Amino acid sequence: MRGWWQDLRYGLRMLAKKPGFTAVAVLTLALGIAINTTIFSVVSAILLRKPAVKDPDRLCTISSKNLIKGYDLEGVSAPDFESWQQQNSVFEKMAAVESGRSFTLTGKDEPESVYGDRVTPDYFNVIGILPALGRAFLARDAQTGNGHVVVLSHALWHERFAADPDAIGKNLEIDGVRYTIVGVMPARADRAMAGTRLWTPLVFSPKDLTPSARANHFIDLVLGRLKPGVTVKRAQAEMNSMAERLAQSYPQTNKDWGATVLTLQEYNIRSANVRNALVLMMTIVALVLLIACANIAGLLLARGAGRAHELAVRSAVGASRGRLLRQMLAESFPIAVAGGGTGLLMSVWGIDLLRAGFAFNEYGRQQAAGFRLDQPTLLFTLAVTLLTTILFGLVPAIRASKASPRDALSESGRTGSGGAGRARLRGALVAGEVALALVLLAAAGIVIREVTREVREPNGFNPQHLLIANLDVSSRQYQELDARIALFSQVTEKLRHLPGVQNAGVDSCVPMGCLDNATFDIAGQPPQPPEKRPSAAFSVVGPDYFRAMQIPLMRGREFSDSDSVHTPVVAIVNQEFVQRFFPKENAIGMQIEVKDGNHKQAQIVGIAGNVSQYVGQITPDPRIYECYLQIPVHAFSSMTLLIRSRVETAELSPMVRLAVWTVDKDQPVRIQTMQDLIANNLGGDKLLVGLMTLFAGLALGLATVGIYGVIAYSVTQRTREIGIRVALGAQRKDVLALVLWEGGMLTGIGCAAGVVLALPLPRLFSGLFDGFAPQGPLAAIVVACIVVAVSLLATYIPARRAAKVDPIAALHCE
């Protein structure tokens, strides 16, 4: 330990004598560690951190799956849930959840729309978090007619009742119905179930429990708490057996359906669909750190070349190879500690910036709230710091300890390159930096091209000057079709007369906001079994919808106010629908029937243009439109108003709210522009582009510094040689070409290796991300040109200095 302490003090003195070298090394390492720590905080929050519930490893989700249809985490039917409850032997309790439902709260100046869950009575016992005030749901609360009780989140209790303990037993009007508050959840439940503001009982009607209802997978999620000693694998095996028995008993509804059992943590990861993106980002920042370590190793090699004489003397007087190795590592340790500490401080700022970057929508803000320097992140930073000490310190240390005293003393007695072996190793490190920087720039270029393509991909409608307003129609007063028709008709009529409004329409599933598929039959064709029926995107819209969205009508007519429940049902389909199902026939006049139990056979009366359902969609979905004036839309809990304006949409928002409230004063209205909705959908992609561009730019900057450092050091070491060349008649351009050739060789080797490594990237990205358009090698070639240009610029600066060497001064110095 005394020897280590002596080496450490000596290393600190040596670093203090070279403040420029120390500052560059510490800052380079700090940047690499900071970005790794920042991104790992996201990995820790999303992939590693356990849900804030009791015994999270025993809390599982059970979802339906149908591999034939490609469904993995599908919803569950009420009869299947009851069968699972009664027949399983692996779960202590099970609970069903209808999550993310919109509830309308009234009683204040303006109605408020909040998100909540409908749950079965055992829900709170299953998650292991009971109300802090009052009680949880009882079995009788889930009986028909008794479900008008509510449990509030801690945050909603504070907002609506100012944290009054006497709120228990008071009433709260939800969706036009009076509910009794029976419980308030603790604050930690808000963290565990971010975004959920209240819970009401999930009440199954007699119709929900009929055998035919097994085809209705309306329950979003089933939670189960494993019995002690039961593994997820065993639970999966039992659920597989149970699904097989149900498929045999109910072949019409349960054939090909199974169950997927996951821990809640794994379910959240799969649902978020971010694992691939996070693995990609961690790989990228690890490569940046590797470049930083290569840079520092190059600096240490150059510094070691200058100390070759010192090390040779130490070896000659008896220092062993292990002793020299220990000394060099001890000198690297302070750089690692200073770089790690500085990087940790920088990561605090980086995490704050990352939180701001995730604020593109509510889900992103909820996820970002968990980004912090927690214990796994701190341990990761410590491990990275120790690893970097080995990465950038070990190679120079081994190189220095292997040096022959005779060769080292011989090399140190003259100027040169500091040893051919060291020069080759420094060159290899720089070429590796260039290769990795090119790979990262190519990856960033591919992502930028993809996001640019998504932005430029035609949507099929005009998003400019288009305001969207969501109306919640789940309350009791809108259960009847006539009431909904009256609401939509009166509101759209008032909106059409507002100053600046061009058109107003209604949609049950607005593009870029949702995707609702429906199976259907085509009249005149053999009926297909349910599992083989064709499907299409489906929307219930109103008159003027296509004019409000500015979706072109290719043939036929639009819906009109004359379409009603007393006239034959009509439908409009898009071009993709016609191309797939009527490629050689005239689709106008054909009959189709949407198979959801509420629809009648409809005649196709129009063909509309294709519309993208999400940003950047390459192949459009076939789509069916039906009119809300003819279709029972009680299956939809909300509808969206679409207002086409001639003026700035911001000026319309107050007037739209007032128009809705003159029809229904208790109707909450959530308003945004279509451009904002598209921007929200692109928020994650833009964040990925920003991060990748930042990291790729940092990698290129580090590689550029590495090239500059190697060439500048080489010029310094070869000053005598260059002076002799000039004295013997070499022209300035000859010296310039000599140095540029050296830098060009390193750049060329690095670029060649980088292009080879970057060529598989487009295929890799296409496999990692759904909907990613395949790209050619253009990105790698363009990036190679950028890297060559920047590298040659970095080489030119020391080359120009070399061309100005005065031979007399150089030889006199020698």
Side-chain angles (χ1 to χ4, degrees), residues 424-661:
R424 285 194 297 269
L425 184 54
R426 290 197 300 273
L429 289 173
V430 170
E433 290 181 50
V434 172
L436 292 179
L438 189 147
V439 170
L440 296 185
L441 281 170
I446 290 171
V447 174
I448 291 172
R449 279 186 62 191
E450 173 64 15
V451 174
T452 303
R453 182 199 65 77
E454 289 181 352
V455 173
R456 293 179 177 176
E457 194 78 26
N459 298 316
F461 62 91
N462 182 10
Q464 297 181 352
H465 296 287
L466 184 61
L467 202 68
I468 55 178
N470 186 266
L471 300 184
D472 191 317
V473 289
S474 59
S475 61
R476 176 177 294 181
Q477 70 183 101
Y478 295 117
Q479 293 303 306
E480 299 298 327
L481 176 60
D482 290 343
R484 294 192 176 200
I485 289 177
L487 172 67
F488 303 145
S489 299
Q490 292 176 38
V491 169
T492 52
E493 185 64 24
K494 288 183 177 295
L495 291 175
R496 291 189 188 105
H497 290 88
L498 291 179
V501 172
Q502 186 174 345
N503 293 107
V506 181
D507 189 1
S508 65
C509 187
V510 66
M512 309 295 172
C514 76
L515 177 60
D516 190 12
N517 284 323
T519 60
F520 61 93
D521 282 335
I522 300 175
Q525 295 184 6
Q528 298 289 330
E531 65 272 10
K532 293 185 179 180
R533 280 195 192 117
S535 66
F538 178 72
S539 287
V540 174
V541 303
D544 279 350
Y545 168 78
F546 295 97
R547 285 191 289 271
M549 291 286 288
Q550 292 187 359
I551 300 172
L553 194 70
M554 304 305 179
R555 293 180 59 193
R557 70 171 179 89
E558 297 183 15
F559 298 125
S560 67
D561 292 330
S562 61
D563 294 317
S564 69
V565 291
H566 304 296
T567 61
V569 179
V570 295
I572 296 174
V573 297
N574 67 346
Q575 290 173 293
E576 183 67 20
F577 187 97
V578 174
Q579 290 174 6
R580 291 197 193 184
F581 304 109
F582 301 106
K584 299 179 181 180
E585 302 174 78
N586 182 9
I588 301 294
M590 291 293 185
Q591 300 280 338
I592 58 175
E593 182 179 355
V594 175
K595 308 299 288 187
D596 70 349
N598 296 314
H599 295 252
K600 300 178 181 178
Q601 198 169 81
Q603 183 183 46
I604 298 175
V605 296
I607 301 173
N610 294 327
V611 172
S612 297
Q613 196 59 39
Y614 55 87
V615 178
Q617 186 175 12
I618 300 173
T619 303
D621 297 322
R623 175 171 286 277
I624 301 171
Y625 301 93
E626 293 188 354
C627 184
Y628 77 82
L629 296 171
Q630 297 184 305
I631 304 301
V633 291
H634 57 265
F636 302 101
S637 61
S638 66
M639 296 286 280
T640 302
L641 299 172
L642 301 138
I643 304 103
R644 172 71 57 186
S645 69
R646 301 185 185 92
V647 298
E648 290 297 324
T649 50
E651 301 175 15
L652 274 179
S653 296
M655 292 187 285
V656 170
R657 286 192 174 89
L658 185 60
V660 173
W661 288 339

